[in-house]
Each structure stands twice: as C-alpha cells, then as structure tokens.
Amino acid sequence: MQRALPGARQHLGAILSSASVVVKALCAAVLFLYLLSFAVDTGCLAVTPGYLFPPNFWIWTLATHGLMEQHVWDVAISLATVVVAGRLLEPLWGALELLIFFSVVNVSVGLLGAFAYLLTYMASFNLVYLFTVRIHGALGFLGGVLVALKQTMGDCVVLRVPQVRVSVVPMLLLGLLLLLRLATLLQSPALASYGFGLLSSWVYLRFYQRHSRGRGDMADHFAFATFFPEILQPVVGLLANLVHGLLVKVKICQKTVKRYDVGAPSSITISLPGTDPQDAERRRQLALKALNERLKRVEDQSVWPSMDDDEEEAGAKMDSPVPSDKAPTLPGKGAVPESSLITFEAAPPTL
C-alpha cells in the first residue's frame, strides 16, 4: 500500500497538471469545502428543503451542494467524477460547456430533490423531510456524466467478462444504489440525487444543449426508452412519447423536426437536429469492423468437397480422349502431335 501511494499521487498530479482551469477549480473547491468542514459547520451549504423555499430562501445552496462532501471516500468519488468528465467530455464540448453542464445538473438536482421532499412532507406531515434532510454530494453529477458518456461512447465495453457496455452503466448503478438503500446502507438523499441527476442531464442533452447542428440530440440510440431493458422499452417508449407530446403542447419541449434531402446522390437522407455526423461515422466504422471480423471467421473455416463434385470430375475424365503413348514421327522431323480428326503417315521411300 505504501509503495502504491507515491505512484497514485504522481499519476493524479500528472492528470491535474494537464487539466483545464474548470477541472482544477472544481477539484480545488471540493477539497477546500471538505477541509472547511473540520473547522465550521458546512450544513448551510447543502440543500435543505425547508430552508430553500421562502421565507428563508437559501438559494446559494443550489450552487454549493454539489461540491460539499463529508467523508473522504465521497471526496474521492467527487474528484474522480470531475477528472473523468474533464478527460472524456471536455475535449468534445469545451471547458465552458462542461461548466454549464455541471451547473445545470446540480441546480436541477437541488430543485427537484427539494420539491420531492416537500411533496413527501405534504403527504406525511413529517418535519424531518423539511429540516433534517440535506441534499449534497457529487452523485447527481456522477449520474449526469454517465448519461453523457452513454450519448458519446455508449458502445465502448467497460467489462469483458461479463460484457458490460457504457450504455447500461447508468441503470446498473441506479439498481445498485437502490439495493443499498433497501439494505439501509445508503441514505435517501444520495439515491434521490443520483436519480434526479440522470433525469436532468438526459433532458438537457436531449432537448437543450447547443452545438454546431442546432440544439439537443434526437438520435434513436439516446431515447429515454434505451435506458431500460429491451423487454420494457416498448412500454417505456409509449409513456415517454405521451409525456413528450404533452410537453410539446405546453411549449416546454420542441417538436422533433425531420429534414429530407431528396437531392442526395444515393437515397433520401433524413437528418435529425442534434445528430452528430462524427457519431454516425463512428458507428459505421464499428459496423464495418464487426462485419470484417465475421467474414474472416467464415474464411478460416475449412470447406469439405461434396460427393457431387467428385462424381462430376470422374465423369469428365472418362469422356475425355486418352492420348497415345507415342506420337508418329516424320523423317527429318520431330514428333508430330496426333489429332482425333487428322492423322499423319510416313511417306513411301522414293526410288
């Protein structure tokens, strides 16, 4: 363990040295607030549902709760999440978009979590849900990062045995957290933060994120139903379409627009707003690679000759004329090839 610590510190230092200002600032804020918790009570930095709404209106907690941690393992998860987002998402989006994504997810998690506990209080009249519950930590942003990775590199394999792809990791982790909550090993605010992080990040990336091709990502592989097992996808897709239609009517979401390019040289091209041509090219390359591997496996298999081919070859040999062992020769000439139509004989000697 002591030998591994210097290597880990050196590796972490190398990662942070190449990171952007946004990643460094977020990591520094997490460490600073964690160290500050040993000196003063940092509970005022977490979202408390009873204090977020009027008359207290602690609105600053929406910006600070995602950076506040109380345990060293929570700090490690928070730092790892920020670093992974900086390494994998920032090159695609840029530092500013990563900061916007971090802010949108954390503010949404704070608001949705506070409303959820407010509704729970209204149903139970238990003041614990208003003034004791504290929503904080990076689990909400972790859910958002996993959703973004599903969007950008969902086909990548995380584990080979058993084979686990990035696209199924968000729901697998949600199931694991749910089991920990049922076993009373996890508090309810942590589960709520992760769940609302998944939802808010998907809504933002699906409908509102700005990029070169417009806004949002309406690709089929990023639909809400794809987060669930295949057996549940038809039902979930139907419910999601109903909710989306309702949101379109109240003008919260935009209607999906399809553009048909009838002047394309090959066939009619349908383009959806938000679909990235680089993502389509990546998927095409993966499909070609899988096809080449399948064809290679087929070629490597040995092909046994059939009995019909042997019989046809034997019949062809029987029908073909058998050449003579010795061809006739002429005086002063070499051997003359014998034909089945014309024969040559030696001329009689002249007297």
Side-chain angles (χ1 to χ4, degrees):
M1 184 68 178
Q2 294 180 354
R3 295 180 180 178
L5 285 178
R9 292 175 182 174
Q10 184 179 2
H11 186 62
L12 180 61
I15 292 176
L16 293 178
S17 62
S18 61
S20 66
V21 178
V22 173
V23 175
K24 292 179 181 179
L26 293 178
C27 293
V30 171
L31 292 175
F32 174 75
L33 293 181
Y34 175 69
L35 296 176
L36 185 64
S37 64
F38 291 98
V40 297
D41 184 14
T42 56
C44 61
L45 301 178
V47 172
T48 305
Y51 295 135
L52 179 63
F53 302 110
N56 299 291
F57 210 64
W58 289 7
I59 192 173
W60 66 85
T61 58
L62 295 175
T64 58
H65 76 93
L67 302 172
M68 176 189 165
E69 302 290 358
Q70 293 182 337
H71 304 93
V72 64
W73 52 85
D74 295 331
V75 174
I77 294 175
S78 181
L79 294 178
T81 303
V82 174
V83 170
V84 169
R87 293 291 296 272
L88 299 180
L89 298 179
E90 188 178 8
L92 302 176
W93 296 348
L96 180 59
E97 178 59 32
L98 180 62
L99 181 60
I100 294 174
F101 180 72
F102 177 83
S103 304
V104 168
V105 171
N106 281 285
V107 171
S108 301
V109 167
L111 286 175
L112 293 175
F115 274 115
Y117 280 107
L118 179 61
L119 294 177
T120 306
Y121 163 74
M122 295 173 63
S124 62
F125 296 101
N126 189 351
L127 291 176
V128 172
Y129 296 111
L130 285 183
F131 300 103
T132 305
V133 170
R134 292 182 177 181
I135 302 173
H136 63 89
L139 279 179
F141 185 58
L142 174 61
V145 171
L146 292 179
V147 171
L149 293 179
K150 169 183 168 58
Q151 178 196 25
T152 56
M153 51 184 65
D155 294 330
C156 295
V157 178
V158 180
L159 295 177
R160 296 189 178 275
V161 181
Q163 191 177 46
V164 178
R165 298 184 182 274
V166 176
S167 58
V168 301
V169 172
M171 298 306 292
L172 286 180
L173 185 55
L174 179 62
L176 177 61
L177 295 178
L178 182 60
L179 292 178
L180 293 177
R181 176 56 188 160
L182 294 177
T184 66
L185 298 177
L186 186 70
Q187 296 181 354
S188 61
L191 179 61
S193 297
Y194 181 79
F196 289 131
L198 292 179
L199 180 61
S200 60
S201 60
W202 177 80
V203 171
Y204 173 72
L205 296 175
R206 182 73 169 176
F207 301 105
Y208 299 107
Q209 186 186 39
R210 293 183 179 273
H211 43 76
S212 59
R213 290 180 59 85
R215 178 181 292 184
D217 183 1
M218 303 304 296
D220 292 337
H221 73 275
F222 196 54
F224 185 73
T226 58
F227 285 84
F228 295 86
E230 293 184 0
I231 191 174
L232 300 177
Q233 287 184 7
V235 178
V236 176
L238 178 62
L239 296 177
N241 291 334
L242 293 177
V243 174
H244 180 257
L246 179 62
L247 295 178
V248 169
K249 290 183 179 180
V250 298
K251 297 183 179 180
I252 296 179
C253 295
Q254 296 180 354
K255 187 177 180 180
T256 303
V257 179
K258 297 182 179 180
R259 297 189 298 269
Y260 297 89
D261 186 9
V262 295
S266 58
S267 59
I268 296 178
T269 302
I270 303 175
S271 60
L272 298 176
T275 53
D276 192 354
Q278 295 180 357
D279 181 70
E281 178 66 19
R282 178 178 60 85
R283 292 181 175 276
R284 190 179 70 85
Q285 294 295 336
L286 290 175
L288 289 176
K289 181 180 179 182
L291 180 60
N292 291 332
E293 292 178 353
R294 186 174 299 178
L295 291 176
K296 185 177 180 181
R297 288 196 299 266
V298 172
E299 291 177 357
D300 292 341
Q301 295 177 356
S302 58
V303 181
W304 291 90
S306 61
M307 297 298 295
D308 297 336
D309 295 340
D310 294 341
E311 293 177 357
E312 292 177 0
E313 292 181 359
K317 292 181 179 180
M318 293 288 292
D319 296 338
S320 61
V322 179
S324 60
D325 295 338
K326 209 172 199 183
T329 59
L330 294 175
K333 302 286 184 180
V336 178
E338 185 173 329
S339 174
S340 59
L341 298 178
I342 302 174
T343 58
F344 295 91
E345 296 181 357
T350 57
L351 299 175

PDB file of all heavy atoms in Angstrom, residues 150-155 217 219 221 275-284:
ATOM      1  N   LYS A 150     -22.912   7.740 -22.127  1.00  0.00           N
ATOM      2  CA  LYS A 150     -23.801   6.882 -22.926  1.00  0.00           C
ATOM      3  C   LYS A 150     -24.098   7.538 -24.267  1.00  0.00           C
ATOM      4  O   LYS A 150     -24.169   6.865 -25.297  1.00  0.00           O
ATOM      5  CB  LYS A 150     -25.103   6.637 -22.163  1.00  0.00           C
ATOM      6  CG  LYS A 150     -26.206   5.981 -23.003  1.00  0.00           C
ATOM      7  CD  LYS A 150     -27.481   5.832 -22.218  1.00  0.00           C
ATOM      8  CE  LYS A 150     -28.643   5.448 -23.134  1.00  0.00           C
ATOM      9  NZ  LYS A 150     -28.439   4.199 -23.879  1.00  0.00           N
ATOM     10  N   GLN A 151     -24.250   8.854 -24.276  1.00  0.00           N
ATOM     11  CA  GLN A 151     -24.527   9.569 -25.515  1.00  0.00           C
ATOM     12  C   GLN A 151     -23.335   9.564 -26.459  1.00  0.00           C
ATOM     13  O   GLN A 151     -23.491   9.376 -27.664  1.00  0.00           O
ATOM     14  CB  GLN A 151     -24.914  11.014 -25.191  1.00  0.00           C
ATOM     15  CG  GLN A 151     -25.184  11.862 -26.417  1.00  0.00           C
ATOM     16  CD  GLN A 151     -25.187  13.346 -26.098  1.00  0.00           C
ATOM     17  OE1 GLN A 151     -24.572  13.778 -25.134  1.00  0.00           O
ATOM     18  NE2 GLN A 151     -25.881  14.117 -26.904  1.00  0.00           N
ATOM     19  N   THR A 152     -22.128   9.744 -25.924  1.00  0.00           N
ATOM     20  CA  THR A 152     -20.947   9.931 -26.772  1.00  0.00           C
ATOM     21  C   THR A 152     -20.216   8.633 -27.072  1.00  0.00           C
ATOM     22  O   THR A 152     -19.673   8.469 -28.164  1.00  0.00           O
ATOM     23  CB  THR A 152     -19.978  10.914 -26.110  1.00  0.00           C
ATOM     24  OG1 THR A 152     -19.643  10.441 -24.783  1.00  0.00           O
ATOM     25  CG2 THR A 152     -20.616  12.289 -25.983  1.00  0.00           C
ATOM     26  N   MET A 153     -20.147   7.708 -26.141  1.00  0.00           N
ATOM     27  CA  MET A 153     -19.405   6.459 -26.344  1.00  0.00           C
ATOM     28  C   MET A 153     -20.134   5.278 -25.714  1.00  0.00           C
ATOM     29  O   MET A 153     -19.555   4.487 -24.974  1.00  0.00           O
ATOM     30  CB  MET A 153     -17.988   6.589 -25.761  1.00  0.00           C
ATOM     31  CG  MET A 153     -17.933   7.087 -24.326  1.00  0.00           C
ATOM     32  SD  MET A 153     -16.232   7.317 -23.746  1.00  0.00           S
ATOM     33  CE  MET A 153     -15.680   8.628 -24.808  1.00  0.00           C
ATOM     34  N   GLY A 154     -21.406   5.151 -26.038  1.00  0.00           N
ATOM     35  CA  GLY A 154     -22.216   4.088 -25.440  1.00  0.00           C
ATOM     36  C   GLY A 154     -21.822   2.690 -25.864  1.00  0.00           C
ATOM     37  O   GLY A 154     -22.121   1.715 -25.171  1.00  0.00           O
ATOM     38  N   ASP A 155     -21.141   2.531 -27.009  1.00  0.00           N
ATOM     39  CA  ASP A 155     -20.763   1.203 -27.499  1.00  0.00           C
ATOM     40  C   ASP A 155     -19.476   0.679 -26.875  1.00  0.00           C
ATOM     41  O   ASP A 155     -19.120  -0.483 -27.104  1.00  0.00           O
ATOM     42  CB  ASP A 155     -20.608   1.231 -29.019  1.00  0.00           C
ATOM     43  CG  ASP A 155     -21.929   1.502 -29.717  1.00  0.00           C
ATOM     44  OD1 ASP A 155     -22.963   1.112 -29.156  1.00  0.00           O
ATOM     45  OD2 ASP A 155     -21.924   2.102 -30.802  1.00  0.00           O
ATOM     46  N   ASP A 217     -30.145  16.403 -28.888  1.00  0.00           N
ATOM     47  CA  ASP A 217     -29.706  15.192 -29.587  1.00  0.00           C
ATOM     48  C   ASP A 217     -30.912  14.265 -29.694  1.00  0.00           C
ATOM     49  O   ASP A 217     -31.301  13.622 -28.724  1.00  0.00           O
ATOM     50  CB  ASP A 217     -28.565  14.518 -28.819  1.00  0.00           C
ATOM     51  CG  ASP A 217     -28.031  13.291 -29.544  1.00  0.00           C
ATOM     52  OD1 ASP A 217     -28.532  12.982 -30.638  1.00  0.00           O
ATOM     53  OD2 ASP A 217     -27.120  12.639 -29.013  1.00  0.00           O
ATOM     54  N   ALA A 219     -31.173  11.538 -31.548  1.00  0.00           N
ATOM     55  CA  ALA A 219     -30.794  10.239 -32.098  1.00  0.00           C
ATOM     56  C   ALA A 219     -31.584   9.124 -31.410  1.00  0.00           C
ATOM     57  O   ALA A 219     -31.940   9.209 -30.232  1.00  0.00           O
ATOM     58  CB  ALA A 219     -29.295  10.011 -31.927  1.00  0.00           C
ATOM     59  N   HIS A 221     -30.577   6.136 -30.562  1.00  0.00           N
ATOM     60  CA  HIS A 221     -29.858   5.408 -29.530  1.00  0.00           C
ATOM     61  C   HIS A 221     -29.814   6.164 -28.209  1.00  0.00           C
ATOM     62  O   HIS A 221     -29.377   5.608 -27.196  1.00  0.00           O
ATOM     63  CB  HIS A 221     -28.424   5.127 -30.000  1.00  0.00           C
ATOM     64  CG  HIS A 221     -27.550   6.345 -30.001  1.00  0.00           C
ATOM     65  ND1 HIS A 221     -27.507   7.226 -31.074  1.00  0.00           N
ATOM     66  CD2 HIS A 221     -26.692   6.850 -29.079  1.00  0.00           C
ATOM     67  CE1 HIS A 221     -26.658   8.200 -30.806  1.00  0.00           C
ATOM     68  NE2 HIS A 221     -26.152   7.999 -29.610  1.00  0.00           N
ATOM     69  N   THR A 275     -28.110  15.328 -34.272  1.00  0.00           N
ATOM     70  CA  THR A 275     -27.337  14.144 -34.598  1.00  0.00           C
ATOM     71  C   THR A 275     -25.980  14.569 -35.128  1.00  0.00           C
ATOM     72  O   THR A 275     -25.886  15.372 -36.044  1.00  0.00           O
ATOM     73  CB  THR A 275     -28.067  13.286 -35.640  1.00  0.00           C
ATOM     74  OG1 THR A 275     -28.396  14.108 -36.756  1.00  0.00           O
ATOM     75  CG2 THR A 275     -29.336  12.695 -35.044  1.00  0.00           C
ATOM     76  N   ASP A 276     -24.939  14.007 -34.591  1.00  0.00           N
ATOM     77  CA  ASP A 276     -23.579  14.389 -34.923  1.00  0.00           C
ATOM     78  C   ASP A 276     -23.068  13.490 -36.038  1.00  0.00           C
ATOM     79  O   ASP A 276     -23.137  12.263 -35.924  1.00  0.00           O
ATOM     80  CB  ASP A 276     -22.692  14.250 -33.685  1.00  0.00           C
ATOM     81  CG  ASP A 276     -21.332  14.902 -33.882  1.00  0.00           C
ATOM     82  OD1 ASP A 276     -21.062  15.348 -35.003  1.00  0.00           O
ATOM     83  OD2 ASP A 276     -20.554  14.938 -32.917  1.00  0.00           O
ATOM     84  N   PRO A 277     -22.546  14.044 -37.122  1.00  0.00           N
ATOM     85  CA  PRO A 277     -22.015  13.185 -38.185  1.00  0.00           C
ATOM     86  C   PRO A 277     -20.817  12.362 -37.722  1.00  0.00           C
ATOM     87  O   PRO A 277     -20.577  11.276 -38.229  1.00  0.00           O
ATOM     88  CB  PRO A 277     -21.631  14.192 -39.278  1.00  0.00           C
ATOM     89  CG  PRO A 277     -21.514  15.515 -38.595  1.00  0.00           C
ATOM     90  CD  PRO A 277     -22.487  15.471 -37.472  1.00  0.00           C
ATOM     91  N   GLN A 278     -20.035  12.881 -36.759  1.00  0.00           N
ATOM     92  CA  GLN A 278     -18.919  12.101 -36.242  1.00  0.00           C
ATOM     93  C   GLN A 278     -19.410  10.857 -35.520  1.00  0.00           C
ATOM     94  O   GLN A 278     -18.800   9.788 -35.622  1.00  0.00           O
ATOM     95  CB  GLN A 278     -18.084  12.963 -35.305  1.00  0.00           C
ATOM     96  CG  GLN A 278     -17.403  14.139 -35.997  1.00  0.00           C
ATOM     97  CD  GLN A 278     -16.586  14.964 -35.041  1.00  0.00           C
ATOM     98  OE1 GLN A 278     -16.573  14.699 -33.837  1.00  0.00           O
ATOM     99  NE2 GLN A 278     -15.892  15.957 -35.560  1.00  0.00           N
ATOM    100  N   ASP A 279     -20.520  10.977 -34.801  1.00  0.00           N
ATOM    101  CA  ASP A 279     -21.076   9.806 -34.126  1.00  0.00           C
ATOM    102  C   ASP A 279     -21.574   8.785 -35.143  1.00  0.00           C
ATOM    103  O   ASP A 279     -21.382   7.581 -34.976  1.00  0.00           O
ATOM    104  CB  ASP A 279     -22.216  10.247 -33.207  1.00  0.00           C
ATOM    105  CG  ASP A 279     -22.819   9.086 -32.448  1.00  0.00           C
ATOM    106  OD1 ASP A 279     -22.151   8.537 -31.562  1.00  0.00           O
ATOM    107  OD2 ASP A 279     -23.968   8.709 -32.749  1.00  0.00           O
ATOM    108  N   ALA A 280     -22.205   9.258 -36.213  1.00  0.00           N
ATOM    109  CA  ALA A 280     -22.660   8.327 -37.251  1.00  0.00           C
ATOM    110  C   ALA A 280     -21.483   7.637 -37.927  1.00  0.00           C
ATOM    111  O   ALA A 280     -21.529   6.435 -38.223  1.00  0.00           O
ATOM    112  CB  ALA A 280     -23.501   9.076 -38.284  1.00  0.00           C
ATOM    113  N   GLU A 281     -20.399   8.370 -38.168  1.00  0.00           N
ATOM    114  CA  GLU A 281     -19.223   7.771 -38.776  1.00  0.00           C
ATOM    115  C   GLU A 281     -18.586   6.748 -37.839  1.00  0.00           C
ATOM    116  O   GLU A 281     -18.126   5.682 -38.276  1.00  0.00           O
ATOM    117  CB  GLU A 281     -18.211   8.868 -39.123  1.00  0.00           C
ATOM    118  CG  GLU A 281     -16.905   8.354 -39.720  1.00  0.00           C
ATOM    119  CD  GLU A 281     -17.087   7.707 -41.072  1.00  0.00           C
ATOM    120  OE1 GLU A 281     -18.130   7.969 -41.724  1.00  0.00           O
ATOM    121  OE2 GLU A 281     -16.227   6.928 -41.477  1.00  0.00           O
ATOM    122  N   ARG A 282     -18.581   7.051 -36.547  1.00  0.00           N
ATOM    123  CA  ARG A 282     -18.019   6.097 -35.580  1.00  0.00           C
ATOM    124  C   ARG A 282     -18.822   4.803 -35.568  1.00  0.00           C
ATOM    125  O   ARG A 282     -18.256   3.704 -35.547  1.00  0.00           O
ATOM    126  CB  ARG A 282     -18.022   6.735 -34.196  1.00  0.00           C
ATOM    127  CG  ARG A 282     -17.517   5.824 -33.094  1.00  0.00           C
ATOM    128  CD  ARG A 282     -17.515   6.572 -31.769  1.00  0.00           C
ATOM    129  NE  ARG A 282     -18.843   7.019 -31.422  1.00  0.00           N
ATOM    130  CZ  ARG A 282     -19.730   6.253 -30.795  1.00  0.00           C
ATOM    131  NH1 ARG A 282     -19.427   5.017 -30.477  1.00  0.00           N
ATOM    132  NH2 ARG A 282     -20.920   6.727 -30.495  1.00  0.00           N
ATOM    133  N   ARG A 283     -20.132   4.919 -35.614  1.00  0.00           N
ATOM    134  CA  ARG A 283     -20.963   3.716 -35.620  1.00  0.00           C
ATOM    135  C   ARG A 283     -20.791   2.930 -36.919  1.00  0.00           C
ATOM    136  O   ARG A 283     -20.835   1.699 -36.920  1.00  0.00           O
ATOM    137  CB  ARG A 283     -22.426   4.098 -35.410  1.00  0.00           C
ATOM    138  CG  ARG A 283     -22.691   4.644 -34.019  1.00  0.00           C
ATOM    139  CD  ARG A 283     -24.156   4.998 -33.822  1.00  0.00           C
ATOM    140  NE  ARG A 283     -24.382   5.403 -32.460  1.00  0.00           N
ATOM    141  CZ  ARG A 283     -24.608   4.555 -31.453  1.00  0.00           C
ATOM    142  NH1 ARG A 283     -24.651   3.261 -31.701  1.00  0.00           N
ATOM    143  NH2 ARG A 283     -24.797   4.985 -30.237  1.00  0.00           N
ATOM    144  N   ARG A 284     -20.587   3.645 -38.030  1.00  0.00           N
ATOM    145  CA  ARG A 284     -20.366   2.946 -39.299  1.00  0.00           C
ATOM    146  C   ARG A 284     -19.055   2.175 -39.279  1.00  0.00           C
ATOM    147  O   ARG A 284     -18.980   1.040 -39.763  1.00  0.00           O
ATOM    148  CB  ARG A 284     -20.367   3.958 -40.440  1.00  0.00           C
ATOM    149  CG  ARG A 284     -20.379   3.334 -41.818  1.00  0.00           C
ATOM    150  CD  ARG A 284     -20.402   4.412 -42.883  1.00  0.00           C
ATOM    151  NE  ARG A 284     -19.128   5.115 -42.923  1.00  0.00           N
ATOM    152  CZ  ARG A 284     -18.063   4.699 -43.623  1.00  0.00           C
ATOM    153  NH1 ARG A 284     -18.140   3.595 -44.328  1.00  0.00           N
ATOM    154  NH2 ARG A 284     -16.938   5.378 -43.606  1.00  0.00           N
TER     155      ARG A 284
END
